């Protein structure tokens, strides 16, 4: 039996990819879900496969369902999708049947401290569906299926001149845009450096260019990705296997450096390099770091200052264990719920990495001494 809503006939069951054990994805018949209050049913028209989907299928995390692993729970992954609204849940008047929409991942629970502060990507009830938490393809069923339920809070309209395929990347572009936004926003004509030509970095190039940044400098190691960066608007690309990234930025900016560095590479030394690319008001970038900077403390605080990264000690509650998780899961949940989101917690991740690097450097020096 099938139900009919205006123009769309909705079947009772659908094809959906379901996660069994690690690395076990199977195509099964599953009931078409019913949208609840403030939710709609979306017919999936296009979906992108994200590296995080692969991570979830292999390792489970960062997907968490009912406080535990997503394996063998009938869970459907997939979070970068778009589609058509085919059914409205009770009270929904924000969207109409037939609307083309694309989705972001996180709806949050709407009731915890972080959701109330607007930091719903860092929801303290992450993974607890009974508390109302939703994150498409992470804690609730995602888009590797014919239909998916979505909160109206996670949907945006797609303009007619944007293709289905392009619309699947809206959240990726939005993540890069958020990064530029929390750095303070770009002033047209300012140079910007993007480190790392992964999907977020490439989107960072496109967004920076669209906002008027000039020149946009992209660094990376893979030729094909750097070429793609050029097509998306990079004025200069730097292959860091051939030229030192900081020296290249100095060369391309007349020695002055830049005010904005968007770090999207995750490379161990990237934060230090970013700090060394920043214009500090002098005529030239320093050739090498001062002794104090080498000691680590000031270079980190400079990076924080320039990258507008908040210091964790000012917000101790962010390091409190949350959501009833302990040990490595809690750390992981705190540190990396969705690596796309350079939220305040995303910033923490870089700080954690920078601290780890510093510790390693120090212990390396101690070992060399001892
Ligand atoms: Zn993703
Ligand atoms: Zn919440």
């Amino acid at each position: 039996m099938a139900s009919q809503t205006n123009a769309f006939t909705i079947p009772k069951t659908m094809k959906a990819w379901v996660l069994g054990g690690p690395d076990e994805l199977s195509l099964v018949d599953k009931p078409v879900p019913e949208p609840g209050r403030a939710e709609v049913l979306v017919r999936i028209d296009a979906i992108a496969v994200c590296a995080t989907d692969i991570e979830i299928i292999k390792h489970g995390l960062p997907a968490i369902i009912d406080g535990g692993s997503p394996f063998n729970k009938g869970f459907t992954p997939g979070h970068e999708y778009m589609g058509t609204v085919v059914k409205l849940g009770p009270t929904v008047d924000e969207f109409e049947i037939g609307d083309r929409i694309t989705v972001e991942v996180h709806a949050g629970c709407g009731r915890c401290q972080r959701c109330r502060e607007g930091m719903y990507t860092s929801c303290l009830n992450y993974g607890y569906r009974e508390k109302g938490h939703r994150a498409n393809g992470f804690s609730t069923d995602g888009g590797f299926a014919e239909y998916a339920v979505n909160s109206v809070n996670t949907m945006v309209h797609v303009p007619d001149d944007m293709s289905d395929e392009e619309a699947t990347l809206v959240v990726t572009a939005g993540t890069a845009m958020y990064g530029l936004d929390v750095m303070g926003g770009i002033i047209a004509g300012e140079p910007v450096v993007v480190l790392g030509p992964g999907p977020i970095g490439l989107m960072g190039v496109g967004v920076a260019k669209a906002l008027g940044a000039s020149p946009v400098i992209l660094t990376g190691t893979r030729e094909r990705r750097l070429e793609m960066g050029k097509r998306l608007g990079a004025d200069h690309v730097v292959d860091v296997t051939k030229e030192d990234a900081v020296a290249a930025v100095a060369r391309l900016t007349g020695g002055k450096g830049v005010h904005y560095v968007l770090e999207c590479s995750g490379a161990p030394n990237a934060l230090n390099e970013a700090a060394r690319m920043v214009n500090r008001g002098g005529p030239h970038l320093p050739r090498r770091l001062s002794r104090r900077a080498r000691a680590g403390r000031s270079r980190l605080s400079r990076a924080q200052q320039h990258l507008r990264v908040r210091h964790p000690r000012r917000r101790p509650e962010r390091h409190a264990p949350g959501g009833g998780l302990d040990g490595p899961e809690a750390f992981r949940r705190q540190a990396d719920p969705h690596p796309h989101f350079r939220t305040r917690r995303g910033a923490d991740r870089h700080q954690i990495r920078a601290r780890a690097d510093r510790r390693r450097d120090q212990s390396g020096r101690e070992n060399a001494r001892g």
Side-chain angles (χ1 to χ4, degrees):
M1 240 186 68
S3 66
Q4 181 118 20
T5 70
N6 295 1
F8 298 95
T9 303
I10 300 164
K12 276 268 180 246
T13 60
M14 62 177 183
K15 292 280 181 218
W17 291 96
V18 162
L19 185 61
D23 257 336
E24 284 172 20
L25 206 57
S26 38
L27 190 61
V28 303
D29 286 310
K30 213 173 166 177
V32 173
E34 196 57 38
R37 198 173 63 84
E39 292 174 348
V40 306
L41 183 67
V42 178
R43 184 193 70 201
I44 313 290
D45 295 332
I47 182 158
V49 178
C50 174
T52 309
D53 292 322
I54 311 290
E55 198 177 325
I56 288 169
I57 291 163
K58 273 188 185 316
H59 305 293
L61 286 169
I64 295 178
I65 294 181
D66 299 334
S69 103
F71 296 122
N72 300 308
K73 288 180 179 164
F75 165 65
T76 297
H79 59 276
E80 296 183 1
Y81 59 90
M82 61 79 62
T84 306
V85 174
V86 294
K87 192 173 190 177
L88 307 179
T91 74
V92 172
D93 57 8
E94 294 87 347
F95 293 87
E96 288 178 13
I97 287 168
D99 282 356
R100 280 178 83 223
I101 58 94
T102 188
V103 303
E104 69 158 307
V105 173
H106 298 261
C109 72
R111 61 199 273 189
C112 75
Q113 184 182 346
R114 288 184 189 162
C115 282
R116 289 187 345 256
E117 289 175 352
M119 295 163 64
Y120 54 89
T121 62
S122 310
C123 176
L124 291 170
N125 288 316
Y126 184 93
Y128 288 89
R129 294 186 288 191
E130 76 278 14
K131 296 275 273 184
H133 180 262
R134 288 193 61 86
N136 307 314
F138 285 82
S139 67
T140 49
D141 280 344
F144 289 167
E146 290 180 286
Y147 295 90
V149 158
N150 258 88
S151 164
V152 292
N153 288 349
T154 57
M155 305 182 349
V156 290
H157 287 105
V158 177
D160 290 342
D161 60 354
M162 184 182 279
S163 72
D164 289 0
E165 290 79 4
E166 284 167 341
T168 63
L169 296 177
V170 163
V171 77
T172 315
T175 303
M177 204 159 187
Y178 181 87
L180 292 168
D181 196 41
V182 294
M183 283 200 294
I186 285 179
I187 297 167
E190 287 274 7
V192 170
V193 177
V194 179
L195 307 180
I200 305 284
L202 289 173
M203 287 293 176
V205 166
V207 171
K209 193 70 183 175
L211 293 173
S214 177
V216 177
I217 303 166
L218 174 66
T219 74
T221 56
R222 290 167 290 176
E223 204 176 308
R224 272 184 56 214
R225 291 301 185 96
L226 292 173
E227 275 306 311
M228 178 64 81
K230 276 189 197 163
R231 284 168 56 193
L232 287 167
D235 298 294
H236 306 283
V237 295
V238 177
D239 181 341
V240 298
T241 63
K242 297 187 179 129
E243 183 176 11
D244 175 70
V246 180
V249 168
R251 172 173 64 76
L252 293 166
T253 57
K256 288 197 176 70
V258 297
H259 289 302
Y260 303 98
V261 183
L262 191 63
E263 203 307 89
C264 305
S265 73
N269 197 34
L271 195 60
N272 289 335
E273 285 189 343
R276 289 171 60 210
M277 290 170 185
V278 169
N279 180 337
R280 294 180 178 80
H284 296 291
L285 287 176
R287 275 180 198 285
R288 55 200 295 262
L289 291 174
S290 67
R291 186 186 302 191
R292 186 153 160 257
R294 278 203 304 281
R297 188 179 173 81
S298 82
R299 77 185 170 202
L300 191 62
S301 66
R302 271 210 195 272
Q304 283 162 349
Q305 186 188 331
H306 286 289
L307 299 172
R308 304 284 201 279
V309 174
R310 286 181 181 221
H311 199 284
R313 269 180 300 202
R314 287 196 209 124
R315 296 181 65 91
E317 72 278 7
R318 273 187 292 144
H319 293 282
L325 295 171
D326 296 302
E329 274 203 353
F331 174 80
R332 178 54 183 260
R333 223 207 69 191
Q334 295 284 321
D336 202 4
H338 187 296
H340 273 190
F341 282 80
R342 293 292 182 271
T343 56
R344 289 159 187 165
R345 182 162 48 187
D348 286 351
R349 202 155 63 94
H350 292 286
Q351 289 165 354
I352 289 162
R353 184 177 290 142
R355 280 201 296 271
D357 287 346
R358 207 167 67 221
R359 272 200 302 276
R360 207 171 43 236
D361 288 349
Q362 276 165 359
S363 71
R365 273 201 300 278
E366 274 155 25
N367 287 345
R369 253 187 253 129

